[in-house]
Amino acid sequence: MEMSFRWYGKEDPVTLENIRQIPQMKGIVSAIYDIPAGEVWPYEDIVELRDQIAAHGMRLNVIESVPVHEGIKMGRGRRDELIENYKETIRNLSKAGIKTVCYNFMPVFDWTRIELDAPLEDGSNSLKYDESLIKDINPLSGELTLPGWDLSYQTDDLKEIMDAYQDIDENQLFENLIYFLQRIIPVAEEEDVLMAIHPDDPPWSIFGLPRIITGAEALRKLFKAVPSKNNGITFCTGSYGASSENDLFEIIDVAKERIYFVHARNVKWTGERSFQETSHSIHDGSLDMVGIIEKLVKEGINVPIRPDHGRMIWGETGRPGYGLYDRALGATYLNGIIDTLRNQNEIQEETT
């Protein structure tokens, strides 16, 4: 697997100079963040981003993400026009040599947490989700805003969108996803681009909004509806693993030929539908990170992998979940697991 790192562009306090010093760091996962959802990404802007990363000895290996406009998710308004724009962005990415696109189909809100700096026993802090507290939050009040959210909506616009979703259930949202994929996947096939949908985070309904990419059964349904190999997934251990009901090994079995990108992070279950993010270590979280990586390696899944959300440690401040230090530790931890597994495999091959 190709060790990679999320970078939020020139405004990111974590610089490319920082990232390149992490051992075995090969890829950068990024996007063009100042283009509104639904608009075409200009080829020249993509090339500028690609070349800036290449100048630091790494490659732009995954775009995360090309946002899907709410009009597409709701199946309303300018849906077909917006899909045409999305197709053109895929073509421009391919022309620039970018062949993997991570995206999501979560209504309105991206990943959701109740705290951004919840303390851990070791003195660090991390992202936390508590279902008992979330259910009392009104997203229209402005009392909870998170870095993963699109804050371009004004309160009135957000209320209108939230109201519109009251008439859209999981079945309708899934139909809208398939409508979208049936139109963009042929372009992805032509351009040799792999589309890797990110799971819902967390993988259950929040604020009364439907969620559809939640576990193994959802993926079976997705692959049956759009069987193209270019229709794949981002295997996010922390998103799928937020639910103790999800078997991550089963998800790998279901999707192993369609896993095109891996997000690796650990979470500790703290109650029913409640969790806090931890270090990547199997000793801190509820997920068997060693076993998960071993399963991926044994299945021959050789794709970009990045250490996902990290704690804030050693007094670091910055974008919640996306500091330098703990994600660098996570990359090193993951590299150790992968190198050990590869070495064991080589020894076994030599002795057989």
Side-chain angles (χ1 to χ4, degrees):
M1 285 184 275
E2 184 174 60
M3 191 55 61
S4 309
F5 213 78
R6 182 76 177 267
W7 181 61
Y8 281 94
K10 297 177 182 178
E11 304 303 317
D12 194 332
V14 179
T15 66
L16 292 172
E17 288 83 357
N18 297 147
I19 298 170
R20 71 180 300 185
Q21 295 175 42
I22 302 170
Q24 294 301 304
M25 190 56 63
K26 305 294 185 184
I28 291 293
V29 178
S30 194
I32 300 175
Y33 297 101
D34 58 357
I35 298 178
E39 294 188 11
V40 176
W41 288 16
Y43 172 71
E44 295 76 13
D45 291 7
I46 298 168
V47 169
E48 181 182 0
L49 177 64
R50 180 199 67 189
D51 292 351
Q52 182 182 11
I53 292 166
H56 289 81
M58 297 171 288
R59 75 182 188 98
L60 178 59
N61 59 353
V62 179
I63 288 293
E64 185 183 348
S65 61
V66 181
V68 179
H69 193 279
E70 294 300 324
I72 297 174
K73 296 174 190 175
M74 292 189 292
R76 299 182 180 182
R78 301 162 43 234
R79 169 168 66 167
D80 291 337
E81 176 188 342
L82 293 165
I83 290 175
E84 290 303 315
N85 288 350
Y86 207 101
K87 291 179 183 178
E88 193 62 26
T89 294
I90 291 174
R91 294 186 183 102
N92 287 343
L93 288 168
S94 177
K95 183 178 177 182
I98 317 303
K99 298 294 186 177
T100 303
V101 175
C102 172
Y103 70 103
N104 73 71
F105 218 74
M106 288 181 264
V108 189
F109 304 114
D110 204 323
W111 57 269
T112 300
R113 303 291 186 270
I114 192 65
E115 285 187 73
L116 302 179
D117 56 357
L120 288 160
E121 291 182 0
D122 61 8
S124 63
N125 65 76
S126 68
L127 305 170
K128 180 179 180 179
Y129 182 96
D130 189 319
E131 180 78 359
S132 66
L133 299 177
I134 285 284
K135 65 183 179 61
D136 295 326
I137 295 287
N138 177 3
L140 298 177
S141 70
E143 58 187 307
L144 180 65
T145 58
L146 297 175
W149 291 5
D150 182 352
L151 302 180
S152 62
Y153 301 118
Q154 300 298 315
T155 300
D156 290 345
D157 296 333
L158 182 58
K159 183 179 186 307
E160 183 178 345
I161 292 171
M162 292 286 287
D163 287 345
Y165 271 109
Q166 301 310 304
D167 297 326
I168 300 174
D169 61 12
E170 283 80 6
N171 289 333
Q172 183 61 58
L173 184 63
F174 183 79
E175 288 180 11
N176 293 344
L177 170 60
I178 300 309
Y179 184 96
F180 170 66
L181 290 175
Q182 286 175 340
R183 285 151 183 80
I184 67 160
I185 290 300
V187 175
E189 292 172 338
E190 292 170 5
E191 298 292 339
D192 192 29
V193 169
L194 302 172
M195 300 299 298
I197 193 167
H198 189 284
D200 301 333
D201 185 9
W204 52 75
S205 175
I206 58 166
F207 306 133
L209 296 168
R211 298 277 188 145
I212 54 174
I213 305 300
T214 56
E217 192 55 40
L219 296 183
R220 290 188 181 96
K221 185 178 177 182
L222 175 68
F223 298 151
K224 182 178 180 180
V226 184
S228 168
K229 294 295 185 183
N230 294 73
N231 174 35
I233 73 162
T234 295
F235 178 65
C236 180
T237 64
S239 295
Y240 285 122
S243 172
S244 60
E245 297 177 3
N246 272 337
D247 181 340
L248 271 64
F249 297 91
E250 178 190 11
I251 290 173
I252 294 173
D253 283 334
V254 169
K256 58 190 175 185
E257 295 181 355
R258 307 283 191 91
I259 295 175
Y260 299 135
F261 185 29
V262 175
H263 286 184
R265 61 179 161 90
N266 214 333
V267 297
K268 185 175 181 63
W269 302 321
T270 57
E272 186 176 359
R273 292 193 169 183
S274 297
F275 60 91
Q276 183 166 0
E277 299 183 4
T278 67
S279 80
H280 287 74
S281 172
I282 59 172
H283 301 289
D284 292 333
S286 300
L287 307 182
D288 179 8
M289 192 62 66
V290 173
I292 291 166
I293 299 300
E294 181 179 26
K295 174 76 170 173
L296 292 169
V297 170
K298 284 188 174 180
E299 294 294 346
I301 298 169
N302 187 22
V303 300
I305 180 174
R306 72 170 178 86
D308 204 3
H309 301 165
R311 304 166 296 152
M312 285 300 184
I313 63 174
W314 303 333
E316 184 178 22
T317 58
R319 190 181 185 94
Y322 286 96
L324 171 64
Y325 303 144
D326 198 42
R327 285 191 297 154
L329 290 179
T332 301
Y333 181 75
L334 295 169
N335 270 328
I337 297 171
I338 294 168
D339 287 347
T340 299
L341 292 169
R342 286 176 174 167
N343 186 59
Q344 290 175 346
N345 290 340
E346 289 174 3
I347 292 173
Q348 290 175 357
E349 289 174 2
E350 291 175 358
T351 57
T352 56

